Amino acid sequence: MGLNLVEEIQRAISSRAQMEADLRRGLTNGEVHVFYQPKVNSLMGQVVGMEALARWIGADGMISPDEFIPLAEESDLIDELGSYVLHQACEHSVGWLRKGFPELQTAVNLSVMQLANPSLPKEIESILHETGMPARLLCLEITEGVMMIDPDVTIEVLNELKSLGCEIAADDFGTGYSSLSYLQKFPIDILKLDQSFVRNLTTDRETFIIVSAVVRLAQTLGLKVVAEGVEEREDEKLLKKMACDEIQGYLYSRPVSADDFEAWLQSRLSVSRVLKAVG
Ligand code: C2E
Ligand code: CA
Ligand code: CA
C-alpha cells in the first residue's frame, strides 16, 4: 500500500516534469498560440474588443490553459509565456489596425506571478513601444481573487500599469469575496462578471436581482460591466435589459485563431455595413 503511494507520487512528479519540459519546448517551437474571443457592445451590437486566450497545441492535440497556466506558474515559464502572449496580442492588434479595422480593445490576462514581478510595468511599456500598440487599446485582466491577496501592493502595481495608459479589468468578479466598496479602492475600469452568474440568470430569480444590482452599483462607481460566458439569446436579452455594457461568449464566437478572428470580424463588419445602408 505504502509503496504504491510512493510509486504513484513518483509517477505524478515525473509526468509533471515531462509536461513542463514539453511546454518549455513547445514555447520555443511555436506550439503556443493566441486565440481571440470578441466582446460586443450590448446596446448597439457592434464589436468593441476581444480577449486574448492562450492555447497550447502540442503533439497530442490542444491542452487547456486551465492545465498549462498553473504548470507555467509553478515553474519559471510563466514570465516567458506571459510576455509571449502580450507581445503576440499587441502585434495582432496593431496588424488589424493597419489593415483598416476599427479600433478594438484587446484584453490580456495576467497571472498572479506576473503581477508579483516588479519588472512587469517596464516590460509592458517596452512591448507597447516595440509593437506600436496604443496603450489605451490594451486592457489587463486580473482575477478579483488575485487582487485581494495583498490589496495594498496590488493598488501600487495597478497604478503603475494605469500610468502607462492601459485599462484594468477585475476578472471573475463575484468569486473573490471582495465587496464593491473595496473594489473602489483599486484603480480599475472594468468589472467582468463571473460566468457562474450568467449561467443562472434565466433560472434563478435571486441571481437576476443580485446581478442587476451589481451592474447598477458598478456603473454608479464609474465602472464598465462586461458579462462573459454568454451562450443563450435569453441571457443576452436579460443582460441588455439590465444595461450591462458589454457581452462576451459562445453566443457570438468561441475563442478562435488570429486568422479566423480576422475573417469573423470582416464578415461581421460587412453585415453591419449592409444593415446600415438598408436603413
Ligand atoms: P478567463 O480569463 O475567465 O477566460 C474565460 C474563459 O471562458 C475562457 O476559457 C473562454 O474560452 C471561456 N468562455 C468564453 N465564453 C464562454 C461561453 O460562452 N461558455 C463557456 N462555457 N465558456 C466560455 P479558456 O480559454 O479555457 O481559459 C481558461 C482560463 O485560463 C482563463 O479564464 C484564464 O484565467 C486562463 N488563461 C487563458 N489564457 C491565459 C493567458 O494568456 N495568461 C494567463 N495568465 N491566463 C490565461
Ligand atoms: Ca479573462
Ligand atoms: Ca473570467
Side-chain angles (χ1 to χ4, degrees), residues 154-205:
T154 303
I155 290 170
E156 254 175 64
V157 179
L158 295 188
N159 275 327
E160 269 189 80
L161 296 175
K162 272 201 68 84
S163 71
L164 296 175
C166 306
E167 291 211 324
I168 310 285
D171 204 355
D172 303 338
F173 182 76
T175 58
Y177 306 102
S178 64
S179 65
L180 271 170
S181 68
Y182 207 99
L183 266 193
Q184 206 190 2
K185 297 199 171 96
F186 292 122
I188 59 171
D189 308 279
I190 298 163
L191 197 141
K192 277 191 106 171
L193 284 176
D194 189 60
Q195 306 197 11
S196 56
F197 288 123
V198 175
R199 285 293 104 75
N200 299 318
L201 217 49
T202 48
T203 49
D204 184 16
R205 185 152 169 76

Side-chain angles (χ1 to χ4, degrees), residues 156-275:
E156 254 175 64
V157 179
L158 295 188
N159 275 327
E160 269 189 80
L161 296 175
K162 272 201 68 84
S163 71
L164 296 175
C166 306
E167 291 211 324
I168 310 285
D171 204 355
D172 303 338
F173 182 76
T175 58
Y177 306 102
S178 64
S179 65
L180 271 170
S181 68
Y182 207 99
L183 266 193
Q184 206 190 2
K185 297 199 171 96
F186 292 122
I188 59 171
D189 308 279
I190 298 163
L191 197 141
K192 277 191 106 171
L193 284 176
D194 189 60
Q195 306 197 11
S196 56
F197 288 123
V198 175
R199 285 293 104 75
N200 299 318
L201 217 49
T202 48
T203 49
D204 184 16
R205 185 152 169 76
E206 228 166 80
T207 304
F208 178 80
I209 293 168
I210 291 171
V211 174
S212 311
V214 168
V215 171
R216 266 200 309 276
L217 254 167
Q219 288 170 338
T220 310
L221 295 173
L223 303 175
K224 192 158 71 183
V225 182
V226 181
E228 67 176 342
V230 180
E231 296 179 0
E232 311 288 341
R233 281 278 164 225
E234 271 309 295
D235 296 328
E236 184 200 42
K237 223 164 98 187
L238 290 179
L239 289 160
K240 280 183 176 179
K241 206 161 127 190
M242 50 177 94
C244 174
D245 301 280
E246 290 172 14
I247 296 177
Q248 182 185 342
Y250 293 173
L251 180 65
Y252 304 112
S253 168
R254 283 178 179 261
V256 292
S257 70
D259 284 348
D260 289 349
F261 182 72
E262 185 176 320
W264 182 91
L265 210 53
Q266 189 82 60
S267 71
R268 177 109 186 172
L269 292 171
S270 319
V271 169
S272 64
R273 265 194 293 270
V274 169
L275 287 177

Side-chain angles (χ1 to χ4, degrees), residues 8-252:
E8 245 173 67
I9 292 170
Q10 277 170 341
R11 216 172 293 141
I13 290 172
S14 96
S15 100
R16 214 180 157 71
Q18 182 60 50
M19 200 167 157
E20 190 187 312
D22 289 346
L23 179 57
R24 195 177 298 278
R25 202 169 330 106
L27 257 171
T28 40
N29 290 351
E31 289 178 6
V32 176
H33 303 263
V34 181
F35 275 31
Y36 297 91
Q37 185 182 37
K39 281 198 277 179
V40 171
N41 171 290
S42 83
L43 196 65
M44 310 296 285
Q46 76 278 51
V47 189
V48 286
M50 58 280 194
E51 178 172 4
L53 292 154
R55 293 288 179 267
W56 176 18
I57 308 173
D60 302 324
M62 182 126 57
I63 297 151
S64 161
D66 283 329
E67 214 174 319
F68 72 82
I69 299 283
L71 180 77
E73 276 177 343
E74 284 159 29
S75 60
D76 59 345
L77 289 170
I78 192 64
D79 286 329
E80 192 181 337
L81 181 71
S83 311
Y84 177 75
V85 173
L86 271 162
H87 204 280
Q88 282 284 100
C90 290
E91 212 165 69
H92 282 142
S93 304
V94 170
W96 288 318
L97 272 178
R98 293 199 177 128
K99 283 186 180 174
F101 285 100
E103 283 197 348
L104 301 171
Q105 191 183 53
T106 303
V108 176
N109 294 284
L110 291 184
S111 88
V112 58
M113 301 302 282
Q114 285 173 283
L115 204 66
N117 186 343
S119 60
L120 179 74
K122 270 262 153 299
E123 207 207 323
I124 294 181
E125 191 178 17
S126 69
I127 291 175
L128 291 170
H129 184 73
E130 275 166 38
T131 56
M133 172 80 161
R136 73 196 145 77
L137 296 184
L138 179 65
C139 173
L140 302 163
E141 291 194 3
I142 300 147
T143 307
E144 178 206 2
V146 164
M147 289 191 181
M148 293 302 293
I149 295 173
D150 192 342
D152 292 335
V153 174
T154 303
I155 290 170
E156 254 175 64
V157 179
L158 295 188
N159 275 327
E160 269 189 80
L161 296 175
K162 272 201 68 84
S163 71
L164 296 175
C166 306
E167 291 211 324
I168 310 285
D171 204 355
D172 303 338
F173 182 76
T175 58
Y177 306 102
S178 64
S179 65
L180 271 170
S181 68
Y182 207 99
L183 266 193
Q184 206 190 2
K185 297 199 171 96
F186 292 122
I188 59 171
D189 308 279
I190 298 163
L191 197 141
K192 277 191 106 171
L193 284 176
D194 189 60
Q195 306 197 11
S196 56
F197 288 123
V198 175
R199 285 293 104 75
N200 299 318
L201 217 49
T202 48
T203 49
D204 184 16
R205 185 152 169 76
E206 228 166 80
T207 304
F208 178 80
I209 293 168
I210 291 171
V211 174
S212 311
V214 168
V215 171
R216 266 200 309 276
L217 254 167
Q219 288 170 338
T220 310
L221 295 173
L223 303 175
K224 192 158 71 183
V225 182
V226 181
E228 67 176 342
V230 180
E231 296 179 0
E232 311 288 341
R233 281 278 164 225
E234 271 309 295
D235 296 328
E236 184 200 42
K237 223 164 98 187
L238 290 179
L239 289 160
K240 280 183 176 179
K241 206 161 127 190
M242 50 177 94
C244 174
D245 301 280
E246 290 172 14
I247 296 177
Q248 182 185 342
Y250 293 173
L251 180 65
Y252 304 112

